[in-house]
Amino acid sequence: MKILDKYILKTFLTTFASVFVILFFIFILQTVWLFISELAGKDLDIILVLKFLLFAMPRIIPLVLPLSVLLASIMTFGNLAENYEFAAMKSAGISLQRAMRSLSVFIFVLSIAAFFFANNVIPFAEYKFINFRKDIAQMKPAMAIAEGQFSDVGSYNIKVDKKSGENGNFLTGITIHKKINVYDGTKNVIKAKNGELISNDKSNNLKLVLNNGYYYEDIVPKKYEDRNKLPFAKSSFKKYIINIDLSKLNNTGGDDYIISNTNNMLNVNELRYTLDSLNKSYNKDVVSFADNIYQRTGITYNNSTLGVPSNKPIKSELLANYSDVEKSNILKTAAANITSANFLIDGSKLELEYKQKLINTHLIAFYEKFVIAFACLLMFFIGAPLGAIIRKGGLGLPIVFAILIFIIYHFINTFGKKVAQENGLTPFLGCWMSSILLSPLAILLTYRATNDLGLINLEVITQPFQKLFQKLFPAQK
């Protein structure tokens, strides 16, 4: 490796390491803010908090790595151009492509490492992250409930005045709001003097044992005028047991969160195997649904022309030979069959749509492992020529360009994946849309930087106006 390659590589690595650490710290703070409700006020020691963050860190890499490459490339080549080092290289016959050669090899190796990281480390970390959150709830069940405030746990809102015991299992002054029916406004309230949280390592259920309390239940009278009296039923108990599903504690983002994290726990080989099983199940359900419909309707189809009924004579008046009573019964039976068939079609449609979305999410998880590798290459070939063109280093203008480009990239990537999940696009196009749209930008910037054309050729814009001005106001001799 020549001295020039060592110098450029050392400059880039120094900048890249600094930018990566800063951005990684910023995204870690964002992760802490996202899960602050699980960490704050739950009597967790520092070791558990550090483990929590350690398992959450790998999921940040797909965001931090491409942005770090982009910003470091702009800053490195911007500094070289600003300090006239590129001018010295060009005077010595060294082109921009030659200056980028050593870094291109490094970025290529980094992209391969990013793929293996996304394929091996991130799935393992996601698995440990989800299970660690459940283990915390089992080891410290009181973390599900904070003192002096209502905690939303599954179908219950629970508030306690005080927690005691080694793990905060013993509760005092318990108030529970049970979610019943949000439409008519009814609710159940449970109050108890004290209680205890009991967990089991082999079970996903958290048992809450209440002692010496009352159970209040709203009653909705049949007569509307009696509803203003707000009647309710009250009963007392010496012991009351509530079972809470611990899986509800791991669901901070709804069903999509569970599905996406399940996909992210799998590597490429596991995703291929899962996709093969899901596709076979989907195709089997489609054939089964079609056969069921054919049997219900009694329509037979030719094998040669799918969906075209076989040629049989159809009478114009099928009910002509029946009495009025028989006609009525036949029509009622037909209407019932049609209604039943519609329910079957609607139910099967929802089930097939769900399975298709599940296939799409697995395909997205599969393609994402390759997208992160290509994103490193793409951001380098955007950042390096852009830095050489703007000729600005430091943390000023490069940060503006880097954030603007990355926001566009991330927005398109997120939008494409969301649309692909809903079957609006193919998962391949949804995942690769941002790379496809920004690749021409990388080619254009590299071409313009190589030929010293600048970022924007202002003459192309101003020349037509100059010609028009000269025609309108010709110079006087």
Side-chain angles (χ1 to χ4, degrees), residues 3-256:
I3 296 176
L4 178 63
D5 295 329
K6 290 182 180 179
Y7 173 70
I8 294 177
L9 184 60
K10 180 181 178 181
T11 305
F12 177 82
L13 288 177
T14 303
T15 307
F16 175 76
S18 303
V19 170
F20 183 85
V21 170
I22 294 172
L23 292 177
F24 194 80
F25 179 74
I26 293 173
F27 279 91
I28 281 293
L29 292 180
Q30 187 263 346
T31 301
V32 172
W33 179 258
L34 183 63
F35 296 102
I36 190 67
S37 60
E38 297 188 25
L39 300 176
K42 300 299 176 70
D43 299 330
L44 300 179
D45 55 45
I46 188 65
I47 301 299
L48 290 177
V49 174
L50 291 177
K51 283 185 177 181
F52 186 94
L53 295 177
L54 179 64
F55 293 140
M57 285 179 183
R59 63 166 62 187
I60 302 173
I61 299 299
L63 289 174
V64 176
L65 190 59
L67 181 57
S68 300
V69 171
L70 176 63
L71 184 55
S73 301
I74 297 176
M75 293 175 63
T76 300
F77 285 83
N79 281 325
L80 292 175
E82 186 179 15
N83 297 326
Y84 299 101
E85 292 175 281
F86 267 139
M89 294 179 195
K90 291 178 181 179
S91 63
I94 299 174
S95 63
L96 178 63
Q97 291 92 330
R98 174 63 185 82
M100 293 171 58
R101 188 173 67 181
S102 60
L103 283 182
S104 299
V105 175
F106 170 76
I107 295 298
F108 181 75
V109 175
L110 182 65
S111 300
I112 296 176
F115 169 76
F116 282 102
F117 185 88
N119 189 47
N120 297 287
V121 178
I122 292 180
F124 176 77
E126 286 291 334
Y127 173 79
K128 298 292 289 185
F129 181 67
I130 296 298
N131 284 277
F132 182 71
R133 292 168 68 188
K134 187 178 73 172
D135 291 342
I136 290 177
Q138 290 176 335
M139 292 183 297
K140 291 181 173 290
M143 71 161 289
I145 303 169
E147 282 186 3
Q149 65 184 42
F150 280 99
S151 301
D152 193 0
V153 184
S155 58
Y156 298 94
N157 282 323
I158 304 175
K159 176 185 176 182
V160 298
D161 295 335
K162 186 179 179 181
K163 296 190 297 184
S164 59
E166 183 179 356
N167 294 322
N169 291 23
F170 299 99
L171 313 176
T172 305
I174 305 169
T175 303
I176 301 175
H177 291 173
K178 185 178 181 181
K179 306 169 189 175
I180 300 296
N181 193 336
V182 296
Y183 297 104
D184 58 18
T186 60
K187 60 183 179 181
N188 292 359
V189 179
I190 305 172
K191 295 182 69 69
K193 291 184 178 179
N194 55 67
E196 181 183 2
L197 287 168
I198 302 174
S199 62
N200 188 349
D201 295 341
K202 298 180 180 180
S203 174
N204 284 329
N205 287 330
L206 178 65
K207 184 182 293 185
L208 174 57
V209 181
L210 304 176
N211 301 317
N212 300 322
Y214 295 91
Y215 188 99
Y216 303 89
E217 181 179 2
D218 287 345
I219 297 176
V220 180
K222 294 182 179 180
K223 294 183 179 181
Y224 184 79
E225 56 272 14
D226 293 336
R227 296 183 181 182
N228 294 329
K229 299 178 182 179
L230 302 177
F232 66 91
K234 176 184 176 181
S235 60
S236 61
F237 59 84
K238 290 186 177 181
K239 186 175 182 180
Y240 188 81
I241 299 176
I242 297 176
N243 290 316
I244 302 172
D245 188 2
L246 285 178
S247 62
K248 300 294 183 181
L249 303 179
N250 295 330
N251 186 7
T252 60
D255 295 336
D256 293 338

Side-chain angles (χ1 to χ4, degrees), residues 292-293 295-298 329-345:
N292 192 4
I293 288 295
Q295 290 175 3
R296 279 175 171 267
T297 57
N329 293 333
I330 291 173
L331 291 175
K332 288 180 180 179
T333 303
N337 289 336
I338 292 173
T339 303
S340 177
N342 285 334
F343 279 120
L344 176 64
I345 292 171

Side-chain angles (χ1 to χ4, degrees), residues 425-457:
L425 288 174
T426 61
F428 177 85
L429 185 59
C431 288
W432 288 95
M433 182 186 296
S434 55
S435 300
I436 293 172
L437 293 178
L438 291 182
S439 292
L441 177 62
I443 297 172
L444 177 64
L445 290 175
T446 304
Y447 172 77
R448 298 189 70 85
T450 303
N451 295 279
D452 292 328
L453 297 177
L455 184 61
I456 299 175
N457 191 356

